[in-house]
Amino acid sequence: MPEAGSPVPLVVAGGGAAGFMAAITAAEAGVPQVQLWEATAEPLSKVRISGGGRCNVTHACWDPRELVGHYPRGSRPLRGPFSRFAAGDAVAWFADRGVELVEEADGRMFPASNRSSSVIEALRQAARSAGVQLLPKRALQGVRPIEGGGFALQARGDSTSVVAQRLLLATGGHPSGRQLAQALGHQVVAPVPSLFTLRVQAPWLNALAGLSQSPVAMELQVGEERFRQEGIVLLTHWGLSGPGVLRLTAFAARGLQQQRYRADLRLNWCPGVNEPALSQQLNQARQDLAKKQLANGRPELLLPLRRRLWLALLQQAGLDPALGWAELPRRGEQKLLELLLRCRLPVAGRGPFGEEFVTAGGVELGEVNLSSMESRLVSGLYFAGELLDIDGVTGGFNFQHCWSSGWIAGQAIAKAIT
C-alpha cells in the first residue's frame, strides 16, 4: 500500500474533548505538525449536546484526593494524573482562552454564557492558533506499526497510508477505537452502559411522575453486591431518575449488566433519621396533631417530604389520608415506618430512553502508563478520554478526565518529539 508524503509527527484520532485537548497541548508545547482526524463532519458533537446544550465542563472539586472518588472505574489510578491536571487547572485553561466557568449550587461548572458553543469555539480557536490541522470526515480504519518506530495509518476510503511518528487514540466510546486497540495487542474491558435510569415496577410510585425528592438514601442489592448512594431522586412514569440514581447506577453498572438489570432497591425517604426518633414523633403526633388529618399535619421529621409523596405513602400503608392523627392505628404506624425508612422496590431494567452517554469499559489501565498516557505494549501509541477503562459519575467528571488525560498525553508526546 503506497504511503503519502513525509511522516507526520503526531496524528490524533478522535475530534472530541480529549482529542482536541491533546492536539492543542502537543502543538502548543512544540510538536511541529499535529493532525486531528475526526470521523464525522462535526467535531466536538458530544460537547455540543452535553448538559442540555450548556456543557458541564467540570466540577468544583478542587482536591484530587476527593475528585477520584467520583470515578467508579479508575479512581485509584487517576490519583497521579489528577495531581498534575485537575479541575482547577481546567478552569484556568479555559479562562486563559476566554471562557469563564461558573459554579452552580451543586458544584457543576458551566460556561458563563450557558452555551456549549462557547466551549467549542474556544477549543477550535486554540487549535487553529496552535497550528493543529483539523481533518473532518477522516476516520482511522487501520494501523500498522512500522519496524523502527512509527505507524502506517489507513483512513477509510483512502488508498494511500499516512506515516505518523506518534499516534494518539481518543475515539471515545465508539467501537472503532476499541477494535484498533485490540488489533495493536491491547486488552479491552467489554463496555457496558453507565449513568442510566432504573425501571421500577411500582404503580403507586410511577403515578407520581415529575416529582423530585431530596435527599433520598438508596441501597441497591445486585446479586451478592450492595451499592449505596444518597441524592436527588426524580420519579418518572417508568421508574426512577435524577442525579442520585445516575450516580448509583454508575457504581453498579457492571453488576447490573451481569444480572440483566434485575435488582432489589431499598429507599430511605428520611436519611439521617433513626427509627426510634421517628417512631417517637409519630406516637407524639397522636397528641400534638390529634385534631388534624394525616394528610394535613406531619411531625417535624417528615416535613421535607413532598405532599404528593406523603399522601402516596399513607395510601400504600393502607391509611386513609382523611384519618385523624388520634386514630392512627399501631399496625398502620409500623407499615408507614417501613415505607419511610425501607421502601422496597423491584428493579426490572434500565429506563427506556437510552439516557446513558457514558460507557464503563475500554483499554485495560494496567497496559497504559498513566503518567504519560503511553501504551506499555506499543512504543509511540497513546490513549486519552473515554477509550480508557475510566468513567465518572454525572456532573462534569467525565469531561474532566478527558481534559486531564488529553493534556498529559499532549505534554508527554511533545517531550518525546521535541
Side-chain angles (χ1 to χ4, degrees), residues 1 63 162 164-165 178 224 241-242 256 286 331 337 361 363 374 379 389 401:
M1 185 176 294
D63 186 343
V162 172
Q165 294 176 10
R178 297 193 293 270
E224 298 300 316
S241 183
L256 283 167
R286 289 185 173 88
R331 181 175 295 181
L337 275 171
V363 174
E374 185 174 13
S379 179
D389 184 24
H401 160 55

Side-chain angles (χ1 to χ4, degrees), residues 278-311:
L278 183 55
S279 179
Q280 182 181 359
Q281 282 209 358
L282 289 176
N283 186 54
Q284 187 65 33
R286 289 185 173 88
Q287 300 177 24
D288 298 345
L289 303 172
K291 296 182 179 180
K292 286 185 175 290
Q293 296 179 344
L294 297 180
N296 298 328
R298 274 179 274 169
E300 183 179 355
L301 290 177
L302 297 181
L303 291 179
L305 289 177
R306 296 296 182 93
R307 177 175 168 79
R308 287 176 60 209
L309 176 59
W310 170 242
L311 294 177

Side-chain angles (χ1 to χ4, degrees), residues 216 218 229-234 241-249 394:
V216 179
M218 295 163 281
Q229 290 293 330
E230 184 175 314
I232 300 172
V233 171
L234 174 66
S241 183
V245 173
L246 295 178
R247 186 177 178 94
L248 180 68
T249 59
T394 186

Side-chain angles (χ1 to χ4, degrees), residues 37-289:
W37 294 17
E38 165 55 34
T40 69
E42 188 62 35
L44 299 167
S45 57
K46 185 177 279 190
V47 173
R48 184 174 299 280
I49 64 174
S50 71
R54 298 168 61 210
C55 187
N56 184 184
V57 176
T58 186
H59 201 97
C61 185
W62 312 119
D63 186 343
R65 293 170 297 181
E66 181 184 348
L67 183 59
V68 298
H70 298 279
Y71 294 82
R73 265 71 49 181
S75 59
R76 186 168 296 176
L78 280 172
R79 291 177 184 177
F82 283 161
S83 70
R84 297 175 58 198
F85 193 99
D89 302 289
V91 172
W93 193 94
F94 279 99
D96 288 344
R97 290 155 182 83
V99 179
E100 178 190 358
L101 299 182
V102 178
E103 179 184 349
E104 298 200 338
D106 59 2
R108 295 180 301 163
M109 301 196 75
F110 294 87
S113 67
N114 257 338
R115 298 175 64 88
S116 60
S117 57
S118 299
V119 178
I120 292 171
E121 183 51 37
L123 289 166
R124 297 194 68 150
Q125 179 57 46
R128 286 192 294 268
S129 298
V132 174
Q133 186 180 1
L134 177 60
L135 301 174
K137 296 185 180 180
R138 191 167 183 81
L140 180 59
Q141 185 170 281
V143 180
R144 175 174 57 84
I146 299 173
E147 187 176 352
F151 305 88
L153 310 180
Q154 180 66 42
R156 186 186 303 137
D158 194 337
S159 60
T160 61
S161 63
V162 172
V163 174
Q165 294 176 10
R166 301 289 192 281
L167 171 64
L168 186 143
L169 296 179
T171 51
H174 196 277
S176 63
R178 297 193 293 270
Q179 292 164 3
L180 290 169
Q182 287 177 311
L184 289 164
H186 275 277
Q187 296 292 317
V188 173
V189 180
V192 299
S194 183
L195 299 178
F196 50 86
T197 60
L198 292 174
R199 186 183 294 274
V200 172
Q201 295 175 332
W204 69 274
L205 206 57
N206 303 148
L208 303 177
L211 182 148
S212 67
Q213 181 66 41
S214 175
V216 179
M218 295 163 281
E219 180 179 285
L220 186 68
Q221 181 158 352
V222 187
E224 298 300 316
E225 294 183 284
R226 289 178 184 241
F227 302 88
R228 296 177 178 86
Q229 290 293 330
E230 184 175 314
I232 300 172
V233 171
L234 174 66
L235 306 182
T236 71
H237 66 271
W238 72 85
L240 302 175
S241 183
V245 173
L246 295 178
R247 186 177 178 94
L248 180 68
T249 59
F251 280 91
R254 275 204 184 281
L256 283 167
Q257 191 268 344
Q258 291 168 0
Q259 296 295 324
R260 299 188 178 184
Y261 301 98
R262 298 297 190 272
D264 292 315
L265 179 64
R266 183 180 292 183
L267 301 180
N268 180 348
W269 301 104
C270 309
V273 177
N274 64 57
E275 185 167 352
L278 183 55
S279 179
Q280 182 181 359
Q281 282 209 358
L282 289 176
N283 186 54
Q284 187 65 33
R286 289 185 173 88
Q287 300 177 24
D288 298 345
L289 303 172

